[in-house]
Amino acid sequence: MSEPYIRHARPEDEDALSLLDRVTWSPLHAVQPRPRPPYPPFFTERCGPEDHLVAELDGVLVGYIRLALSTSLACNAHVRQIQGLVVAESARGAGIGRALLRAVQDEARRRGARRITLRVLGHNTRARGLYESEGFAVEGVLPGEFLLDGTYVDDVLMGRPL
């Protein structure tokens, strides 16, 4: 397998990203119900192509990461938040998630961020391990924040300085 090519998303990536989002849906990382038609647009006013980095392998889009402002407050403009990281099942274990995570930190720095944060479900141990290996630390836990498939799941807040 070749090295992933990381780039900014483009408007024409909409359909591929929307499909990737649907086929990778899992209660391991999603708090919203499984997507059903009619599907909403992938890009929104709040998060457009400029807020996404995508990973390609051999010209095929296999992952994305979404970077957004943590809040709309001016006093919080130095913080960015990862609001989604998805890797196609066929590309897992190939370093795509790590490459996207490193690239988004560079992008956050380029945008003037001094901190980056994220939220991850407590039972998503694989994702938590990746984040910890890249310098993210647990900064808070909301115990039993979500009821998913009959089980209460913690919401884990993680962050790191840039």
Side-chain angles (χ1 to χ4, degrees), residues 3 13 27 33 56 86 95 97 130 140 150:
E3 289 292 311
D13 294 323
E56 292 182 351
V86 169
L130 171 63

Side-chain angles (χ1 to χ4, degrees), residues 6-136:
I6 309 295
R7 63 172 174 79
H8 284 91
R10 300 184 288 253
E12 58 268 24
D13 294 323
E14 169 106 21
D15 291 342
L17 288 168
S18 183
L19 178 62
L20 181 63
D21 217 33
R22 292 192 308 270
V23 300
T24 58
W25 182 94
S26 165
L28 189 61
H29 60 79
V31 296
Q32 295 291 332
R34 181 181 295 278
R36 304 257 186 253
Y39 302 114
F42 183 83
F43 297 127
T44 64
E45 265 186 40
R46 191 168 160 243
C47 287
E50 67 280 1
D51 300 310
H52 295 81
L53 297 177
V54 299
E56 292 182 351
L57 273 181
D58 302 320
V60 177
L61 199 146
V62 294
Y64 78 83
I65 194 164
R66 180 179 298 128
L67 182 67
L69 286 168
S70 183
T71 70
S72 60
L73 301 170
C75 61
N76 189 235
H78 64 286
V79 180
R80 294 297 186 280
Q81 186 175 61
I82 296 169
Q83 296 184 346
L85 171 59
V86 169
V87 176
E89 185 71 36
S90 62
R92 291 185 185 160
I96 304 298
R98 187 173 306 280
L100 283 165
L101 194 55
R102 289 178 178 174
V104 86
Q105 290 177 80
D106 290 341
E107 178 66 14
R109 282 185 200 96
R110 190 185 69 72
R111 294 182 185 191
R114 297 176 47 100
R115 270 183 48 73
I116 191 165
T117 64
L118 58 87
R119 298 170 79 158
V120 61
L121 294 175
H123 64 203
N124 194 344
T125 55
R126 187 170 181 184
R128 289 177 64 182
L130 171 63
Y131 300 141
E132 288 170 1
S133 74
E134 289 296 319
F136 286 80

